[in-house]
Amino acid sequence: MAFLPNGWQHYLIGGLLIGSGVSLLFALTGLIGGMSSVYSSTWSWILRTPFFQQPRLVNSRQWRLAYAVGLIIGAALWWTMLGDGTRVHVDLSPLRLLAGGLLVGYGARLSRGCTSGHGICGLASLNRPSMLAVCTFMLTAIVTANVLARLGAA
């Protein structure tokens, strides 16, 4: 099995676009574009629990929702204009996808941020807790992928 069976160029281009986008957001507004805060601030419109009603979430939900919509539109434009037109297919059951999503969500809350916040924004600002979080994310992903591959579940 090849390390990057679909090539490396699209990963480089995607990384450069993401890095440019969060850099531009920070340079123009001083705002940090992590996605777990987008998720939490969006829920602040619906859930009235104290966590979701924190001023930092409620006061930032408009720009964070616009940021998320822009990411979705950007991905759709990329897929329709530059993609090869094939659908992405995942060979995982809905239960495994749900379990993975819950674990990722729990990890993002536990580490006070997600991979985009820590890995892109936190590392760029030389934030030490973000470095620890990214190392933990990567180590966990590598161990999990290797265990599942050896069990034949991947």
Side-chain angles (χ1 to χ4, degrees), residues 2-3 14 25 36 50 53 73-74 81 84 86 113 122 131 134 138 140 145:
F3 182 65
L25 176 68
S36 61
Q53 293 305 308
I73 291 170
M81 298 173 81
D84 61 6
T86 58
M131 174 59 83
V134 169
M138 295 302 295
T140 303

Side-chain angles (χ1 to χ4, degrees), residues 49 51 59 82 136:
T49 59
F51 174 81
N59 296 338
L82 300 172
T136 303

Side-chain angles (χ1 to χ4, degrees), residues 3-4 14 17 32 39-40 47 49-50 55 58 62 65 67 74 89 94 97 102 117 121 127 130 135 144:
F3 182 65
L4 297 172
L17 288 172
I32 298 173
Y39 178 79
S40 297
L47 300 176
T49 59
V58 172
Q62 286 87 5
L65 184 59
Y67 182 65
H89 178 72
L97 288 172
L102 291 173
C121 303
N127 185 307
S130 289
C135 289
T144 302

Side-chain angles (χ1 to χ4, degrees), residues 1 87-98 148 152-154:
M1 181 168 90
R87 287 184 57 187
V88 174
H89 178 72
V90 178
D91 288 328
L92 295 174
S93 71
L95 182 60
R96 285 182 73 183
L97 288 172
L98 177 64
L148 290 176

